[in-house]
Amino acid sequence: YLKISKLALAFAIIHSKPPGKCSKEYTEHLARTVSEQDFGWKWKVESLEAEVLRLRQELLLNRISPRFCLENRKQDTSAETLLGQESINPTSYSSQLEDSGCDVCNDSAFDSLGIASDFHQSEHNVNTSKYWLERVPPLNLCHTSKEQSLTAPVHFLQRLLEMRKLSERGVLQADFSELENDSFTICNSVSQLLDGLTFFYSSPEFPAPGFLTEGVCVLLSLITDTKLSNHVLKKCFKKIEEFKKNLIQIILRNRSVNRFQALHSVSQMLGLLGRNNILRNSLISLLLSGVRQFAEQLVQAHQVQSVYDIAQYENIFLLCMILEQLLQNETEESNISSSDYGGEEKIKFLKNLDQVILHLSDEFPLFSLYLWRVSVLLNSGQMQ
């Protein structure tokens, strides 16, 4: 049947082709026409899906608290005056542009990138974002479809966070049990936010756009909120795990000359995600897996004297730094005895680690030192 259909289509094209044009040219013309029509329909479908999600978000907010939605519409006229007031000043990113950060392999460079201090200052950043979240959520900030993919879910989730804070203070009556009845809306919104963050982290801009900063603040606020985090993590855990894997791959695969400035913000994001008790263990497992696999590849390349990926070797130190900091934070907690972080990946990492360090210590002393420091932290947690 398929052969007969193809033959019939070929005859139809031959008979209908205009004069002065061969069958091949006419076939290519028809193929381009059909593909353009498919692209147009695809764009229309995506637009309609985005509109349906927006309406479902509005409906969900209205079900949670009709009073909030009514008052918020009245305040939208004054919201535009708040758009220029960003909760975090992005000038620090422009200052990083002056230095390529290529000396990231020493401790001073680690501090200069801001990663070490950001682990201690992240609470301040999250608290700073609360000021913004208590204000009227921003209107449409987008100028392109890519920005819209990030700002649309940020707008919705900011409103949800504001409702949560107002209800906690007793200012607003809200029924958050509606989130259980409409898991599709919250899952799609968080999924859009994570996809948007992944896209902009993959192609970073300096200084960081304001809507990217807002997206990061909203994600961290969702994860740390005592009530909303249960809904988000329960329904979107797999998507968040995929997001963490994407961030790790962005670090490992980046080969641009001035990449350390871009990788700084990605590393900071991973560190902040690791501050959450629920996400920390899985993130430690992912980092252990990434470092272990690279160490095995490096040993193999060293034994046969083959070429190894120098860019990935430089990037792996960022993962080591994040991993070491997360393990230090873990060992400082009082409930260390009840947490078996790393799981199977910890066993795989420690297995034959002495032999790996022995093979790499002469040629790659710094990387071997990081492997040893991570192993000490893992063993110290096990001893306690």
Short mmCIF file of all heavy atoms in Angstrom, two decimals, residues 245-298:
data_model
loop_
_atom_site.label_atom_id
_atom_site.label_comp_id
_atom_site.label_asym_id
_atom_site.label_seq_id
_atom_site.Cartn_x
_atom_site.Cartn_y
_atom_site.Cartn_z
N LYS A 245 21.15 17.90 36.60
CA LYS A 245 22.02 17.21 35.64
C LYS A 245 22.42 18.13 34.50
O LYS A 245 23.58 18.11 34.06
CB LYS A 245 21.30 15.97 35.10
CG LYS A 245 21.08 14.87 36.12
CD LYS A 245 20.34 13.70 35.50
CE LYS A 245 20.06 12.61 36.53
NZ LYS A 245 19.28 11.49 35.94
N ASN A 246 21.47 18.94 34.02
CA ASN A 246 21.79 19.88 32.93
C ASN A 246 22.81 20.91 33.36
O ASN A 246 23.72 21.27 32.59
CB ASN A 246 20.51 20.57 32.46
CG ASN A 246 19.57 19.63 31.73
OD1 ASN A 246 20.00 18.63 31.15
ND2 ASN A 246 18.28 19.94 31.74
N LEU A 247 22.70 21.40 34.60
CA LEU A 247 23.67 22.38 35.09
C LEU A 247 25.07 21.77 35.17
O LEU A 247 26.06 22.42 34.83
CB LEU A 247 23.24 22.90 36.46
CG LEU A 247 21.96 23.75 36.52
CD1 LEU A 247 21.71 24.22 37.95
CD2 LEU A 247 22.03 24.94 35.58
N ILE A 248 25.15 20.53 35.62
CA ILE A 248 26.45 19.86 35.70
C ILE A 248 27.05 19.69 34.31
O ILE A 248 28.26 19.92 34.09
CB ILE A 248 26.31 18.50 36.41
CG1 ILE A 248 25.97 18.72 37.89
CG2 ILE A 248 27.58 17.67 36.28
CD1 ILE A 248 25.68 17.45 38.65
N GLN A 249 26.23 19.31 33.34
CA GLN A 249 26.72 19.13 31.98
C GLN A 249 27.12 20.47 31.35
O GLN A 249 28.08 20.53 30.56
CB GLN A 249 25.65 18.45 31.11
CG GLN A 249 25.41 17.01 31.48
CD GLN A 249 26.67 16.18 31.43
OE1 GLN A 249 27.45 16.25 30.47
NE2 GLN A 249 26.90 15.39 32.47
N ILE A 250 26.42 21.55 31.70
CA ILE A 250 26.81 22.88 31.21
C ILE A 250 28.21 23.23 31.69
O ILE A 250 29.02 23.79 30.95
CB ILE A 250 25.78 23.93 31.67
CG1 ILE A 250 24.45 23.76 30.91
CG2 ILE A 250 26.31 25.35 31.44
CD1 ILE A 250 23.34 24.65 31.42
N ILE A 251 28.51 22.88 32.95
CA ILE A 251 29.85 23.14 33.48
C ILE A 251 30.90 22.30 32.77
O ILE A 251 31.95 22.80 32.35
CB ILE A 251 29.87 22.88 35.00
CG1 ILE A 251 29.02 23.92 35.73
CG2 ILE A 251 31.30 22.89 35.53
CD1 ILE A 251 28.95 23.70 37.23
N LEU A 252 30.63 21.02 32.61
CA LEU A 252 31.63 20.11 32.06
C LEU A 252 31.90 20.37 30.59
O LEU A 252 33.04 20.24 30.12
CB LEU A 252 31.19 18.65 32.26
CG LEU A 252 31.25 18.12 33.69
CD1 LEU A 252 30.71 16.70 33.75
CD2 LEU A 252 32.67 18.18 34.24
N ARG A 253 30.89 20.73 29.82
CA ARG A 253 31.02 20.80 28.37
C ARG A 253 31.38 22.18 27.84
O ARG A 253 31.62 22.34 26.64
CB ARG A 253 29.71 20.35 27.71
CG ARG A 253 29.37 18.88 27.98
CD ARG A 253 28.03 18.51 27.38
NE ARG A 253 27.70 17.11 27.63
CZ ARG A 253 26.57 16.54 27.28
NH1 ARG A 253 25.64 17.26 26.66
NH2 ARG A 253 26.34 15.26 27.54
N ASN A 254 31.42 23.17 28.71
CA ASN A 254 31.73 24.52 28.26
C ASN A 254 33.21 24.62 27.88
O ASN A 254 34.08 24.29 28.69
CB ASN A 254 31.38 25.54 29.35
CG ASN A 254 31.30 26.95 28.81
OD1 ASN A 254 32.16 27.38 28.06
ND2 ASN A 254 30.25 27.66 29.18
N ARG A 255 33.48 25.09 26.66
CA ARG A 255 34.86 25.18 26.17
C ARG A 255 35.22 26.58 25.70
O ARG A 255 36.23 26.76 25.03
CB ARG A 255 35.08 24.17 25.04
CG ARG A 255 35.13 22.73 25.51
CD ARG A 255 35.19 21.76 24.37
NE ARG A 255 35.44 20.40 24.84
CZ ARG A 255 34.52 19.61 25.37
NH1 ARG A 255 33.27 20.06 25.48
NH2 ARG A 255 34.81 18.39 25.79
N SER A 256 34.40 27.56 25.98
CA SER A 256 34.71 28.92 25.54
C SER A 256 35.92 29.45 26.30
O SER A 256 36.23 29.02 27.42
CB SER A 256 33.50 29.84 25.77
OG SER A 256 33.18 29.90 27.15
N VAL A 257 36.60 30.41 25.68
CA VAL A 257 37.85 30.92 26.26
C VAL A 257 37.58 31.62 27.58
O VAL A 257 38.29 31.44 28.57
CB VAL A 257 38.53 31.88 25.26
CG1 VAL A 257 39.76 32.50 25.89
CG2 VAL A 257 38.89 31.15 23.98
N ASN A 258 36.54 32.41 27.64
CA ASN A 258 36.23 33.21 28.83
C ASN A 258 35.09 32.58 29.61
O ASN A 258 34.19 33.25 30.08
CB ASN A 258 35.85 34.63 28.40
CG ASN A 258 36.23 35.64 29.47
OD1 ASN A 258 37.16 35.43 30.24
ND2 ASN A 258 35.51 36.74 29.51
N ARG A 259 35.12 31.27 29.76
CA ARG A 259 33.97 30.55 30.27
C ARG A 259 33.78 30.64 31.78
O ARG A 259 32.67 30.42 32.27
CB ARG A 259 34.08 29.07 29.89
CG ARG A 259 35.27 28.36 30.48
CD ARG A 259 35.37 26.94 29.94
NE ARG A 259 36.51 26.20 30.43
CZ ARG A 259 37.71 26.25 29.91
NH1 ARG A 259 37.92 27.06 28.87
NH2 ARG A 259 38.71 25.55 30.37
N PHE A 260 34.83 30.96 32.54
CA PHE A 260 34.71 30.88 33.98
C PHE A 260 33.75 31.91 34.55
O PHE A 260 33.18 31.70 35.61
CB PHE A 260 36.10 31.02 34.62
CG PHE A 260 37.00 29.87 34.28
CD1 PHE A 260 38.07 30.06 33.42
CD2 PHE A 260 36.77 28.62 34.78
CE1 PHE A 260 38.90 29.01 33.09
CE2 PHE A 260 37.60 27.56 34.45
CZ PHE A 260 38.67 27.75 33.60
N GLN A 261 33.57 33.01 33.87
CA GLN A 261 32.57 33.99 34.32
C GLN A 261 31.17 33.41 34.22
O GLN A 261 30.34 33.58 35.12
CB GLN A 261 32.67 35.25 33.48
CG GLN A 261 34.05 35.90 33.52
CD GLN A 261 34.14 37.02 32.51
OE1 GLN A 261 33.27 37.85 32.43
NE2 GLN A 261 35.18 37.03 31.72
N ALA A 262 30.91 32.72 33.10
CA ALA A 262 29.59 32.12 32.91
C ALA A 262 29.37 30.96 33.87
O ALA A 262 28.28 30.78 34.43
CB ALA A 262 29.44 31.64 31.47
N LEU A 263 30.41 30.15 34.08
CA LEU A 263 30.27 28.99 34.95
C LEU A 263 30.13 29.37 36.41
O LEU A 263 29.66 28.57 37.22
CB LEU A 263 31.49 28.07 34.77
CG LEU A 263 31.66 27.46 33.38
CD1 LEU A 263 32.84 26.51 33.36
CD2 LEU A 263 30.39 26.75 32.93
N HIS A 264 30.53 30.58 36.76
CA HIS A 264 30.37 31.04 38.15
C HIS A 264 28.92 31.00 38.57
O HIS A 264 28.57 30.46 39.63
CB HIS A 264 30.94 32.45 38.30
CG HIS A 264 30.39 33.18 39.49
ND1 HIS A 264 30.72 32.84 40.78
CD2 HIS A 264 29.51 34.21 39.57
CE1 HIS A 264 30.08 33.65 41.61
NE2 HIS A 264 29.35 34.48 40.91
N SER A 265 28.03 31.57 37.76
CA SER A 265 26.62 31.63 38.13
C SER A 265 26.00 30.24 38.16
O SER A 265 25.13 29.96 38.99
CB SER A 265 25.86 32.54 37.16
OG SER A 265 26.00 32.08 35.82
N VAL A 266 26.43 29.35 37.26
CA VAL A 266 25.92 27.98 37.25
C VAL A 266 26.35 27.26 38.52
O VAL A 266 25.57 26.56 39.17
CB VAL A 266 26.40 27.22 36.01
CG1 VAL A 266 25.79 25.83 35.96
CG2 VAL A 266 26.05 27.98 34.74
N SER A 267 27.62 27.43 38.90
CA SER A 267 28.12 26.81 40.13
C SER A 267 27.40 27.34 41.35
O SER A 267 27.07 26.58 42.28
CB SER A 267 29.63 27.07 40.26
OG SER A 267 30.32 26.61 39.13
N GLN A 268 27.14 28.63 41.35
CA GLN A 268 26.42 29.23 42.47
C GLN A 268 25.03 28.64 42.59
O GLN A 268 24.54 28.34 43.69
CB GLN A 268 26.34 30.75 42.30
CG GLN A 268 25.61 31.46 43.42
CD GLN A 268 25.44 32.95 43.14
OE1 GLN A 268 25.80 33.42 42.08
NE2 GLN A 268 24.89 33.66 44.10
N MET A 269 24.36 28.45 41.44
CA MET A 269 23.02 27.88 41.46
C MET A 269 23.03 26.47 42.02
O MET A 269 22.17 26.10 42.82
CB MET A 269 22.47 27.87 40.03
CG MET A 269 21.02 27.44 39.93
SD MET A 269 19.94 28.68 40.68
CE MET A 269 18.45 27.73 40.91
N LEU A 270 24.00 25.65 41.63
CA LEU A 270 24.11 24.30 42.15
C LEU A 270 24.34 24.31 43.67
O LEU A 270 23.76 23.50 44.40
CB LEU A 270 25.25 23.55 41.46
CG LEU A 270 24.95 22.96 40.08
CD1 LEU A 270 26.22 22.41 39.45
CD2 LEU A 270 23.89 21.87 40.17
N GLY A 271 25.19 25.22 44.12
CA GLY A 271 25.44 25.31 45.54
C GLY A 271 24.21 25.69 46.33
O GLY A 271 23.95 25.14 47.41
N LEU A 272 23.43 26.61 45.79
CA LEU A 272 22.21 27.03 46.49
C LEU A 272 21.16 25.92 46.49
O LEU A 272 20.44 25.75 47.48
CB LEU A 272 21.65 28.29 45.82
CG LEU A 272 22.53 29.54 45.93
CD1 LEU A 272 21.92 30.69 45.16
CD2 LEU A 272 22.72 29.94 47.38
N LEU A 273 21.07 25.17 45.41
CA LEU A 273 20.15 24.02 45.38
C LEU A 273 20.57 22.99 46.43
O LEU A 273 19.73 22.34 47.05
CB LEU A 273 20.13 23.39 43.99
CG LEU A 273 19.44 24.19 42.88
CD1 LEU A 273 19.64 23.50 41.54
CD2 LEU A 273 17.96 24.37 43.16
N GLY A 274 21.88 22.84 46.61
CA GLY A 274 22.38 21.86 47.57
C GLY A 274 22.13 22.24 49.01
O GLY A 274 22.29 21.39 49.91
N ARG A 275 21.72 23.46 49.28
CA ARG A 275 21.41 23.87 50.64
C ARG A 275 20.08 23.28 51.11
O ARG A 275 19.80 23.26 52.31
CB ARG A 275 21.37 25.39 50.74
CG ARG A 275 22.72 26.05 50.49
CD ARG A 275 22.60 27.57 50.58
NE ARG A 275 22.35 27.97 51.94
CZ ARG A 275 23.28 28.22 52.84
NH1 ARG A 275 24.56 28.07 52.53
NH2 ARG A 275 22.97 28.61 54.06
N ASN A 276 19.26 22.83 50.15
CA ASN A 276 17.99 22.19 50.51
C ASN A 276 18.25 20.76 50.94
O ASN A 276 18.93 19.99 50.24
CB ASN A 276 17.04 22.24 49.31
CG ASN A 276 15.69 21.63 49.64
OD1 ASN A 276 15.49 20.44 49.49
ND2 ASN A 276 14.76 22.47 50.07
N ASN A 277 17.72 20.37 52.09
CA ASN A 277 17.99 19.05 52.64
C ASN A 277 17.49 17.93 51.73
O ASN A 277 18.10 16.85 51.68
CB ASN A 277 17.36 18.92 54.03
CG ASN A 277 18.00 19.83 55.05
OD1 ASN A 277 19.18 20.14 54.94
ND2 ASN A 277 17.22 20.29 56.02
N ILE A 278 16.38 18.16 51.04
CA ILE A 278 15.81 17.12 50.19
C ILE A 278 16.63 16.95 48.92
O ILE A 278 16.82 15.83 48.43
CB ILE A 278 14.34 17.46 49.85
CG1 ILE A 278 13.52 17.54 51.14
CG2 ILE A 278 13.74 16.42 48.91
CD1 ILE A 278 12.08 17.93 50.91
N LEU A 279 17.14 18.05 48.36
CA LEU A 279 17.86 17.99 47.10
C LEU A 279 19.35 17.69 47.28
O LEU A 279 20.02 17.31 46.33
CB LEU A 279 17.71 19.32 46.36
CG LEU A 279 16.29 19.77 46.02
CD1 LEU A 279 16.32 21.11 45.31
CD2 LEU A 279 15.58 18.73 45.15
N ARG A 280 19.85 17.86 48.50
CA ARG A 280 21.29 17.79 48.71
C ARG A 280 21.85 16.41 48.41
O ARG A 280 22.85 16.27 47.71
CB ARG A 280 21.64 18.19 50.14
CG ARG A 280 23.13 18.24 50.42
CD ARG A 280 23.39 18.51 51.88
NE ARG A 280 22.71 19.72 52.29
CZ ARG A 280 22.35 19.98 53.54
NH1 ARG A 280 22.59 19.10 54.49
NH2 ARG A 280 21.74 21.11 53.85
N ASN A 281 21.21 15.36 48.94
CA ASN A 281 21.76 14.01 48.76
C ASN A 281 21.84 13.62 47.30
O ASN A 281 22.84 13.05 46.85
CB ASN A 281 20.90 13.00 49.52
CG ASN A 281 21.11 13.09 51.02
OD1 ASN A 281 21.93 13.87 51.49
ND2 ASN A 281 20.35 12.32 51.77
N SER A 282 20.79 13.91 46.54
CA SER A 282 20.80 13.55 45.13
C SER A 282 21.84 14.36 44.36
O SER A 282 22.49 13.86 43.44
CB SER A 282 19.42 13.74 44.51
OG SER A 282 19.00 15.10 44.61
N LEU A 283 22.03 15.64 44.75
CA LEU A 283 23.04 16.46 44.10
C LEU A 283 24.44 15.96 44.41
O LEU A 283 25.31 15.92 43.52
CB LEU A 283 22.88 17.92 44.53
CG LEU A 283 23.88 18.92 43.94
CD1 LEU A 283 23.85 18.88 42.42
CD2 LEU A 283 23.61 20.33 44.43
N ILE A 284 24.67 15.55 45.65
CA ILE A 284 25.97 14.98 46.01
C ILE A 284 26.24 13.72 45.19
O ILE A 284 27.36 13.49 44.71
CB ILE A 284 26.03 14.69 47.52
CG1 ILE A 284 26.10 16.01 48.31
CG2 ILE A 284 27.23 13.82 47.87
CD1 ILE A 284 26.07 15.83 49.81
N SER A 285 25.22 12.90 45.00
CA SER A 285 25.38 11.68 44.20
C SER A 285 25.75 12.02 42.76
O SER A 285 26.63 11.37 42.16
CB SER A 285 24.09 10.85 44.23
OG SER A 285 23.81 10.38 45.53
N LEU A 286 25.08 13.02 42.19
CA LEU A 286 25.38 13.42 40.82
C LEU A 286 26.80 13.95 40.69
O LEU A 286 27.51 13.64 39.72
CB LEU A 286 24.38 14.47 40.36
CG LEU A 286 22.93 14.02 40.15
CD1 LEU A 286 22.03 15.22 39.86
CD2 LEU A 286 22.83 13.00 39.03
N LEU A 287 27.23 14.74 41.66
CA LEU A 287 28.58 15.30 41.63
C LEU A 287 29.63 14.20 41.81
O LEU A 287 30.66 14.20 41.13
CB LEU A 287 28.73 16.37 42.71
CG LEU A 287 27.92 17.65 42.49
CD1 LEU A 287 27.97 18.54 43.73
CD2 LEU A 287 28.41 18.42 41.27
N LEU A 288 29.37 13.28 42.72
CA LEU A 288 30.30 12.16 42.92
C LEU A 288 30.43 11.33 41.65
O LEU A 288 31.53 10.92 41.27
CB LEU A 288 29.81 11.28 44.07
CG LEU A 288 30.02 11.79 45.50
CD1 LEU A 288 29.34 10.87 46.49
CD2 LEU A 288 31.50 11.94 45.82
N SER A 289 29.30 11.11 40.98
CA SER A 289 29.33 10.34 39.75
C SER A 289 30.14 11.05 38.67
O SER A 289 30.95 10.44 37.97
CB SER A 289 27.89 10.10 39.26
OG SER A 289 27.89 9.43 38.03
N GLY A 290 29.93 12.38 38.53
CA GLY A 290 30.65 13.14 37.51
C GLY A 290 32.14 13.16 37.76
O GLY A 290 32.95 12.96 36.83
N VAL A 291 32.54 13.40 39.01
CA VAL A 291 33.97 13.45 39.34
C VAL A 291 34.61 12.07 39.19
O VAL A 291 35.72 11.94 38.66
CB VAL A 291 34.16 13.99 40.77
CG1 VAL A 291 35.63 13.92 41.19
CG2 VAL A 291 33.67 15.43 40.86
N ARG A 292 33.90 11.02 39.64
CA ARG A 292 34.45 9.66 39.54
C ARG A 292 34.65 9.25 38.08
O ARG A 292 35.70 8.71 37.71
CB ARG A 292 33.51 8.68 40.23
CG ARG A 292 33.92 7.21 40.09
CD ARG A 292 32.90 6.30 40.74
NE ARG A 292 31.57 6.45 40.15
CZ ARG A 292 31.18 5.87 39.03
NH1 ARG A 292 32.02 5.09 38.35
NH2 ARG A 292 29.95 6.04 38.58
N GLN A 293 33.65 9.49 37.23
CA GLN A 293 33.77 9.11 35.83
C GLN A 293 34.91 9.84 35.14
O GLN A 293 35.65 9.25 34.34
CB GLN A 293 32.44 9.38 35.11
CG GLN A 293 31.32 8.47 35.54
CD GLN A 293 30.01 8.80 34.87
OE1 GLN A 293 29.96 9.57 33.91
NE2 GLN A 293 28.92 8.25 35.37
N PHE A 294 35.08 11.12 35.46
CA PHE A 294 36.19 11.86 34.85
C PHE A 294 37.52 11.32 35.35
O PHE A 294 38.49 11.22 34.58
CB PHE A 294 36.07 13.35 35.16
CG PHE A 294 37.19 14.16 34.58
CD1 PHE A 294 37.19 14.51 33.24
CD2 PHE A 294 38.26 14.55 35.37
CE1 PHE A 294 38.24 15.24 32.69
CE2 PHE A 294 39.31 15.28 34.83
CZ PHE A 294 39.29 15.62 33.48
N ALA A 295 37.61 10.99 36.65
CA ALA A 295 38.86 10.46 37.19
C ALA A 295 39.22 9.14 36.51
O ALA A 295 40.40 8.90 36.18
CB ALA A 295 38.73 10.26 38.70
N GLU A 296 38.23 8.29 36.27
CA GLU A 296 38.49 7.02 35.58
C GLU A 296 38.96 7.26 34.15
O GLU A 296 39.87 6.58 33.65
CB GLU A 296 37.23 6.16 35.61
CG GLU A 296 36.85 5.67 37.01
CD GLU A 296 35.52 4.94 37.02
OE1 GLU A 296 34.85 4.93 35.96
OE2 GLU A 296 35.17 4.38 38.07
N GLN A 297 38.34 8.22 33.46
CA GLN A 297 38.77 8.54 32.09
C GLN A 297 40.19 9.09 32.08
O GLN A 297 40.99 8.79 31.18
CB GLN A 297 37.80 9.55 31.47
CG GLN A 297 36.40 9.03 31.26
CD GLN A 297 35.43 10.12 30.84
OE1 GLN A 297 35.82 11.27 30.58
NE2 GLN A 297 34.16 9.78 30.77
N LEU A 298 40.51 9.90 33.09
CA LEU A 298 41.85 10.49 33.16
C LEU A 298 42.91 9.41 33.43
O LEU A 298 44.01 9.46 32.85
CB LEU A 298 41.88 11.56 34.26
CG LEU A 298 43.02 12.58 34.21
CD1 LEU A 298 42.98 13.36 32.89
CD2 LEU A 298 42.92 13.54 35.38
#
